[in-house]
Amino acid sequence: MMHRVNIRVTGYCSLTPGEIRLRIQESGSLAQLAALPGSYVITVEDRERVDIITSESFAGQYFFATTSEGIFHGPSVGPVFRASGISWRWNFRALADYISLGHVIGSETLLSGVQRTSRGTILSWRNGNLESARTVPKSCRATAGGSAKRAIDFL
């Protein structure tokens, strides 16, 4: 018996959730989804897993927190924090960055336990474990006639 898979797109993606479902069924891979045109987050959820895919050109904010109860995610820190049930603790490193630089660096947030997703990333939550895979941006891929040796020689 097949179980229900929920697919949600936040932002603009060139495919609809139905088309995304077909792509996943056809290829079995999520990596291709991060390279689609647009600035988006795709979430794929069922009883056994949660996948969060951010596009290579994603310019928005999307957050997550993990606990023994699961992974909690969304476009705002507050709702993710409240849903997760984690205790309030300042992330002092992020707070220092904010005070000195005027913004938080990387995937950190001011709240310890809540992180921001990075662009071109696939986060996979399965059986209490979080795995992160970074896709290679198109701008860094070898093109016709390109090679690592040519890149090194160019430098």
Side-chain angles (χ1 to χ4, degrees):
M1 180 173 130
M2 288 192 58
H3 50 273
R4 182 158 174 77
V5 175
N6 294 313
I7 297 175
R8 187 176 69 215
V9 178
T10 303
Y12 168 74
C13 179
S14 60
L15 298 181
T16 67
E19 292 168 326
I20 292 167
R21 182 183 316 277
L22 287 174
R23 288 262 179 116
I24 294 170
Q25 289 172 348
E26 290 171 357
S27 72
S29 171
L30 299 174
Q32 63 176 324
L33 299 177
L36 294 171
S39 177
Y40 54 83
V41 175
I42 298 171
T43 57
V44 180
E45 297 185 65
D46 65 22
R47 292 181 307 211
E48 301 169 358
R49 72 171 205 230
V50 175
D51 296 300
I52 301 170
I53 303 112
T54 57
S55 68
E56 294 173 352
S57 59
F58 181 59
Q61 302 283 325
Y62 202 81
F63 302 92
F64 68 96
T66 59
T67 71
S68 60
E69 300 296 316
I71 184 169
F72 304 87
H73 56 91
S76 301
V77 172
V80 170
F81 164 71
R82 285 188 293 280
S84 70
I86 59 177
S87 299
W88 179 272
R89 288 191 338 249
W90 285 106
N91 178 341
F92 290 107
R93 182 176 48 217
L95 187 57
D97 289 341
Y98 182 77
I99 290 169
S100 62
L101 302 172
H103 61 89
V104 177
I105 296 175
S107 64
E108 305 234 7
T109 69
L110 296 175
L111 183 58
S112 184
V114 178
Q115 297 179 54
R116 186 178 62 81
T117 58
S118 299
R119 66 187 183 97
T121 301
I122 300 169
L123 298 173
S124 296
W125 175 265
R126 303 227 187 337
N127 302 318
N129 296 311
L130 182 67
E131 295 180 13
S132 177
R134 183 98 166 107
T135 63
V136 179
K138 290 178 187 174
S139 60
C140 296
R141 294 182 191 147
T143 57
S147 69
K149 182 180 178 338
R150 284 188 63 193
I152 292 169
D153 291 344
F154 177 77
L155 297 173

